[in-house]
Amino acid sequence: MGTPVVSTNCTFGPSEILTGELSKYLVPVQQSEALANAVKQVLADKPNVENADILKQVQAEQVALQYLAWLTKLTYMYVNLYSERFEVVAMQSLPVTRLPIKYIISTLFF
């Protein structure tokens, strides 16, 4: 980490990473001269990338929260799909953060 990045603005990815002041190092696709100039510019500027916005989004805690939200959504879908078979009480009224995941998983799979 800490390495400045230059990228072409291809679909999906670079524009989500190079935001704020780092977006000036994002160049149009298939413009090699613009890419070369951006490389020269990033070497001259030596931007501080330690505080880039993307770093907050990819911290382990944030990724874990996103994973748990996905798992909770998947669990709700599974419970709704198989609720009659497993005789599980619908829990849609509970907030995501208070959902007893261990109970649901143990009820569904064990």
Side-chain angles (χ1 to χ4, degrees):
M1 293 218 312
T3 303
V5 174
V6 171
S7 178
T8 57
N9 193 9
C10 57
T11 307
F12 306 113
S15 62
E16 296 172 17
I17 297 169
L18 296 176
T19 60
E21 75 174 56
L22 298 178
S23 65
K24 66 183 176 183
Y25 305 113
L26 190 61
V27 299
V29 175
Q30 296 185 353
Q31 292 193 13
S32 57
E33 191 171 320
L35 185 61
N37 289 334
V39 169
K40 290 177 188 175
Q41 189 65 48
V42 80
L43 292 173
D45 293 348
K46 299 179 183 170
N48 179 7
V49 295
E50 298 295 324
N51 297 321
D53 294 334
I54 189 67
L55 296 179
K56 296 172 191 145
Q57 296 174 20
V58 296
Q59 289 178 344
E61 183 177 291
Q62 184 64 28
V63 171
L65 289 173
Q66 291 173 358
Y67 176 76
L68 288 174
W70 172 81
L71 181 60
T72 300
K73 182 178 179 179
L74 184 65
T75 303
Y76 274 133
M77 291 169 51
Y78 193 85
V79 167
N80 288 333
L81 186 63
Y82 293 103
S83 62
E84 291 178 19
R85 181 175 176 191
F86 292 105
E87 298 179 10
V88 176
V89 176
M91 305 176 90
Q92 291 182 348
S93 62
L94 291 177
V96 170
T97 56
R98 295 180 187 207
L99 183 65
I101 296 288
K102 289 181 184 178
Y103 169 75
I104 290 178
I105 291 174
S106 65
T107 302
L108 294 175
F109 301 108
F110 301 105

